[in-house]
Amino acid sequence: MTDRKEFKPRALVACAIAAVLCTACDSAADAKAPKTGELKRREPVRVRVAPVEQREMRRVLQTTTTVHSEKEIQLFPRASGIVTEVFVEQGDTVKVGQELAAVDDREARAMVADARVAIAEAKDAIARAEVAMREAEARVEQTKLEWEQAQRDYDRNDKASLISQQALEALRTARDTRANEHETAKLGRDRSVIEARSSATALERAQLSLARAELELSYTRIQAPIAGIIAQANVRVGGTVGRGTSVLETSGAAFVITDLDDLHVEFSRPQREMAWFVAASGLDTDAKAGTVDVDGKAARTVQIRATAEALPGVELRGMIDRISPSIDPQSGSFGVHAELEPLAPANGVTNGSGAHAERGARLLPGMLVRLEIVTDRHPDALVVPKRSLRREGEASLLFVVREGRAHRIEVTEGFTDDAAVEVFATGGTVLSAGDLVVVVGNRDLEDGAEVVLEETATEATTTTADAAAKEG
């Protein structure tokens, strides 16, 4: 009993102490809680910003096409026969007139020899005709003299009447015979002239035959008509070439030569752009002549930038040199023809844009290239990252950070590139180069909201942590 009486006062004291402690905790919590009607202060929004740049922006048309050479020749052998020699291989550089291959020329040489014999025979015939013509002329002169003498004998005896009638008749017969012989001699002379002329014609025919035979002989030596690179070599020693042979049926041409210094591209554009291309390129179209260069190359202001996946890091320049004067009725587009600068294959050699070509790399016909055509320029454009734009319906918005707060600005967009966009402030607002625009954190940002730059917020957090560490 004594123990129970002693326990009750102690329990009452403990309960009283616990009640006092709970009351103190509630009072402290009430002191920290905001009073009724008081708003809780919002934390600043952490954002990342980028400066507004002032630089050139361009409007660019992009298209893809393949490169081709303006001078690409397919060689089809003119002579038929067996290939006896091949002097070049694919990839070799050749000059104009350089021999590429040879075809069996024995028959062609025999034809040349036969034509030369015919020429010799024709010359002999001409010589004989000239001799015969001189003989005929001499015969004409002789018969003329004989005829004239017979005429004088007859006239003299006919007037004197000193001989008998029978003798006079004999003189008359002799005179007429000499006259006939003279006429026959003149016919012989005319015949000899014709024969001489025929011999000259035969000589000309023989000379033409020789020229034709020599031409056929030259066809047995396949030569390069232009300078360039052997793009294809489809003939082999022992193979047969000529029309209807397997080489032409399977490969199409014995050789293909490409000039790598005269490279072009062709691409199509919608007809609504034709007026701009004609005006900007300094060219004028003519329905009859195709295209006419009015002001020369200096007036061609359209710049073309070409890049190829096969030549990474290399940029080529192009210049429009022809514009089609007609519209394709099916596609509604017109053709544009542009020349590209060549790219040397040597290591360390640079092209016109200053980009270095790797050893062995060069622009080749058939390569796929991406073309960028500059159609307009704004040299002093205000440019912001595309990520800084927020669109609400048809409106485009920016948030500019000034004095720690984000200010909403409506803008209109201009030219764009891969990562940036040209902007124009509207509604009387001002946007200047160097202003900081929000690129990260602008999704739910409100006009006038307090912001802290990501770097600044990091610094503040570090400073607070340091201070707390010192206090601890």
Side-chain angles (χ1 to χ4, degrees):
M1 294 297 294
T2 305
D3 295 337
R4 290 181 178 179
K5 291 178 179 180
E6 293 178 356
F7 175 75
K8 288 182 179 179
R10 294 178 181 177
L12 292 173
V13 171
C15 291
I17 294 172
V20 171
L21 291 175
C22 289
T23 303
C25 290
D26 292 340
S27 300
D30 293 340
K32 291 183 179 180
K35 298 179 181 180
T36 304
E38 181 180 356
L39 296 177
K40 183 179 180 180
R41 186 172 180 271
R42 298 188 60 179
E43 293 291 332
V45 181
R46 294 163 59 90
V47 296
R48 184 176 296 174
V49 296
V52 178
E53 298 180 358
Q54 187 171 22
R55 59 180 174 87
E56 182 183 70
M57 287 293 286
R58 302 176 298 177
R59 181 169 60 191
V60 179
L61 300 178
Q62 295 183 342
T63 185
T64 57
T65 185
T66 54
V67 179
H68 71 275
S69 175
E70 190 74 357
K71 296 178 182 178
E72 183 171 272
I73 303 298
Q74 295 184 341
L75 290 181
F76 295 88
R78 301 287 298 273
S80 299
I82 298 175
V83 178
T84 57
E85 293 179 283
V86 178
F87 306 113
V88 296
E89 297 179 354
Q90 186 174 355
D92 288 350
T93 301
V94 297
K95 300 178 181 179
V96 177
Q98 181 175 336
E99 292 187 356
L100 310 180
V103 179
D104 184 6
D105 61 356
R106 289 175 294 178
E107 183 178 355
R109 290 187 181 279
M111 293 177 61
V112 170
D114 185 67
R116 287 174 178 168
V117 170
I119 288 178
E121 291 176 347
K123 289 181 178 180
D124 292 342
I126 289 176
R128 288 194 300 271
E130 289 176 350
V131 171
M133 189 168 56
R134 288 195 298 270
E135 290 176 348
E137 188 66 32
R139 179 61 180 166
V140 168
E141 292 298 326
Q142 181 181 353
T143 56
K144 181 180 180 182
L145 293 175
E146 292 175 351
W147 171 55
E148 290 176 349
Q149 182 62 41
Q151 182 67 43
R152 285 193 298 270
D153 290 344
Y154 174 78
D155 291 341
R156 183 175 59 254
N157 288 285
D158 183 38
K159 292 178 181 179
S161 301
L162 297 177
I163 60 175
S164 64
Q165 189 66 31
Q166 184 178 1
L168 184 62
E169 188 67 25
L171 290 174
R172 182 185 298 111
T173 301
R175 181 198 64 181
D176 294 341
T177 300
R178 298 296 180 271
N180 289 334
E181 291 176 350
H182 178 60
E183 292 298 325
T184 301
K186 289 195 295 183
L187 291 176
R189 181 188 62 184
D190 294 341
R191 188 182 303 110
S192 66
V193 171
I194 294 173
E195 290 177 354
R197 190 180 302 147
S198 177
S199 298
T201 303
L203 177 60
E204 291 179 0
R205 184 180 299 108
Q207 290 172 338
L208 289 175
S209 297
L210 176 61
R212 188 180 300 110
E214 290 176 341
L215 182 61
E216 292 293 335
L217 178 61
S218 69
Y219 290 158
T220 64
R221 315 294 288 189
I222 304 175
Q223 297 178 336
I226 64 171
I229 300 291
I230 300 295
Q232 295 182 27
N234 300 317
V235 295
R236 297 292 182 270
V237 174
T240 303
V241 297
R243 293 184 178 180
T245 63
S246 59
V247 169
L248 297 186
E249 290 172 358
T250 58
S251 304
F255 295 96
V256 176
I257 303 178
T258 300
D259 182 5
L260 299 185
D261 293 329
D262 194 5
L263 301 178
H264 289 72
V265 290
E266 294 180 355
F267 56 94
S268 300
R269 297 304 305 170
Q271 56 184 311
R272 64 177 179 272
E273 298 177 2
M274 186 171 190
W276 180 88
F277 268 92
V278 171
S281 63
L283 299 173
D284 191 14
T285 58
D286 181 87
K288 182 178 180 181
T291 58
V292 179
D293 188 343
V294 178
D295 299 322
K297 289 187 176 181
R300 304 180 186 181
T301 58
V302 179
Q303 294 185 4
I304 299 178
R305 173 179 173 267
T307 55
E309 184 177 352
L311 302 173
V314 176
E315 179 180 325
L316 302 172
R317 290 196 300 266
M319 190 71 69
I320 294 177
D321 58 0
R322 292 200 300 271
I323 296 176
S324 174
S326 60
I327 304 296
D328 186 344
Q330 295 182 351
S331 64
S333 60
F334 65 96
V336 182
H337 190 279
E339 58 180 330
L340 293 180
E341 61 182 6
L343 182 64
N347 187 25
V349 175
T350 61
N351 65 359
S353 63
H356 286 264
E358 296 182 0
R359 184 173 182 83
R362 68 182 306 160
L363 190 65
L364 299 174
M367 276 189 179
L368 183 67
V369 293
R370 181 182 183 89
L371 303 181
E372 294 184 354
I373 306 165
V374 179
T375 62
D376 199 359
R377 298 173 181 271
H378 290 171
D380 299 317
L382 293 178
V383 182
V384 298
K386 286 183 176 180
R387 294 186 302 168
S388 65
L389 286 179
R390 193 176 89 184
R391 293 178 175 84
E392 294 181 358
E394 298 295 329
S396 296
L397 308 176
L398 284 176
F399 284 91
V400 180
V401 177
R402 292 171 181 160
E403 298 180 354
R405 294 189 178 276
H407 300 276
R408 167 175 163 157
I409 294 180
E410 290 193 13
V411 295
T412 58
E413 301 178 30
F415 297 161
T416 64
D417 57 23
D418 293 337
V421 59
E422 177 187 15
V423 293
F424 304 91
T426 61
T429 56
V430 177
L431 186 66
S432 304
D435 285 344
L436 298 179
V437 294
V438 178
V439 295
V440 176
N442 59 355
R443 180 180 297 274
D444 299 320
L445 199 60
E446 296 181 359
D447 187 25
E450 185 178 359
V451 296
V452 59
L453 304 187
E454 191 174 63
E455 294 77 11
T456 304
T458 302
E459 294 174 0
T461 303
T462 303
T463 304
T464 304
D466 293 342
K470 291 180 179 179
E471 292 177 359

